[in-house]
Amino acid sequence: DDDSDAPPSPPRRRHQLDLQSTGEIAAPTTRRDVWVVAATTVGNALEWYDFALFGFLAPELATKFFPPKKHLNSALLETFLVFGAAFLVRPVGGLAMGAFSDRHGRKRALQLSVIAMSGATASIGLLPTYAVAGSLATCLLVLCRLVQGLSVAGQLTGALVYLVESAPPGHEHLFGSLAFASGNAGTMLGGVAVAFVQTRAGQDAFAGHGWRYPFLLSAFLGWGGYYVQSYAEESPEYLAVVEGPQQTEDGPRRSQLELQRTGEIPGRDEAVDAVEAVKRSGPKVAALAAACILSPAAFYAFFVFA
């Protein structure tokens, strides 16, 4: 029989879930997705509120934690050096919190970051001034700022990974963008808080003790962020690695991560993976890094000198 004149068969109908899994159509958001977004964006916003306070209150910190000088600009410059010290430890914070996240979960890493940041920020509000404790006050201020740098690095990268891994198919880019949007919202919240306290307290009271209030508020905000994050579920992709079934000869199913830790199956060496990625795509990595540097450089130049 000649089938050349037979009508073409209709295209195979595909299930909606199949289209969502391939990203051809976006999956609807669920209550779980709402909790993921709320927990991550709230925590990230509070982190950047804490991180930005130091910059907004630099003039007050300059007069409180450094030796008296004839020119205020000299003390202010020293304060901004401490402000910039946080950026020196941010790569360390990102690596440390990333390793912690891989071992103990995205959710726990975010909670740890929030607690560390709120603790360091609230501590600044409790520190003795240079007039009371001398150089010890300056050293404690530097220590708190370094903890802030470690924490915010872990929070930003952790929030980004958690949002993308937890996003429904078709919403990965939208969820990932919320990490940066919430960070900017937190920075603006810091400015609003400082302006509000300064206006309500008056210039003299603000210079005396009012500058401490925005820092102390972080203790309550950090607790709130930790509470909200406690209701979020762990990243599905992380759970797939940790709880993924791996049948052993002895019988019970054990997670892939557990078998890697015991050496029964080979694990991945993150350092080797990073080196191989740079070898394969060195110019692209360098160009991307340069592009990523320009944006924050412009932002903080305006932030410091505005």
Side-chain angles (χ1 to χ4, degrees):
D1 295 334
D2 187 8
D3 296 333
S4 60
D5 295 332
S9 58
R12 181 177 68 87
R13 299 186 61 183
R14 300 168 62 190
H15 193 273
Q16 181 180 6
L17 188 60
D18 182 25
L19 295 174
Q20 291 175 1
S21 64
T22 60
E24 297 176 56
I25 63 173
T29 56
T30 63
R31 183 177 180 181
R32 174 193 171 279
D33 299 329
V34 173
W35 271 111
V36 166
V37 171
T40 311
T41 55
V42 168
N44 197 45
L46 296 180
E47 286 268 338
W48 286 95
Y49 163 87
D50 295 338
F51 191 77
L53 279 182
F54 197 102
F56 288 123
L57 291 170
E60 298 300 330
L61 298 178
T63 61
K64 299 296 188 296
F65 292 97
F66 294 93
K69 292 181 173 59
K70 294 182 179 179
H71 301 288
L72 177 61
N73 289 340
S74 299
L76 189 60
L77 180 60
E78 293 176 344
T79 306
F80 280 125
L81 288 176
V82 179
F83 177 84
F87 294 90
L88 297 178
V89 297
R90 280 180 63 175
V92 178
L95 291 172
M97 294 301 289
F100 181 90
S101 175
D102 287 341
R103 289 184 173 274
H104 302 286
R106 316 301 190 212
K107 177 180 171 180
R108 288 186 180 180
L110 293 176
Q111 289 179 310
L112 175 62
S113 180
V114 166
I115 292 300
M117 174 62 87
S118 62
T121 305
S123 296
I124 294 178
L126 298 173
L127 291 180
T129 62
Y130 186 89
V132 175
S135 299
L136 177 61
T138 306
C139 293
L140 292 175
L141 180 67
V142 173
L143 177 61
C144 290
R145 184 58 181 173
L146 293 178
V147 174
Q148 285 186 324
L150 293 171
S151 301
V152 77
Q155 178 67 213
L156 178 60
T157 54
L160 181 59
V161 170
Y162 179 68
L163 283 168
V164 172
E165 289 185 349
S166 302
H171 291 277
E172 292 87 355
H173 294 85
L174 174 62
F175 274 46
S177 67
L178 294 176
F180 295 93
S182 59
N184 292 330
T187 301
M188 290 188 291
L189 178 62
V192 171
V194 171
F196 177 80
V197 174
Q198 190 171 22
T199 302
R200 299 290 295 179
Q203 188 60 43
D204 293 338
F206 184 78
H209 58 271
W211 62 271
R212 296 181 182 270
Y213 295 156
F215 288 113
L216 295 175
L217 180 61
S218 177
F220 301 97
L221 296 178
W223 178 86
Y226 182 91
Y227 180 79
V228 172
Q229 288 179 342
S230 65
Y231 281 91
E233 298 179 8
E234 186 55 84
S235 161
E237 292 193 20
Y238 175 80
L239 292 177
V241 174
V242 175
E243 300 177 356
Q246 293 288 329
Q247 184 68 37
T248 65
E249 296 180 357
D250 297 332
R253 292 180 178 271
R254 300 159 63 192
S255 72
Q256 180 181 359
L257 188 60
E258 181 182 357
L259 294 174
Q260 289 178 358
R261 288 174 178 172
T262 59
E264 297 175 54
I265 63 174
R268 295 179 59 186
D269 190 328
E270 291 84 356
V272 174
D273 292 342
V275 172
E276 290 297 326
V278 172
K279 288 182 177 179
R280 291 195 306 268
S281 308
K284 294 181 180 179
V285 172
L288 181 60
C292 292
I293 290 173
L294 293 176
S295 176
F299 172 80
Y300 283 106
F302 179 82
F303 183 83
V304 169
F305 295 104

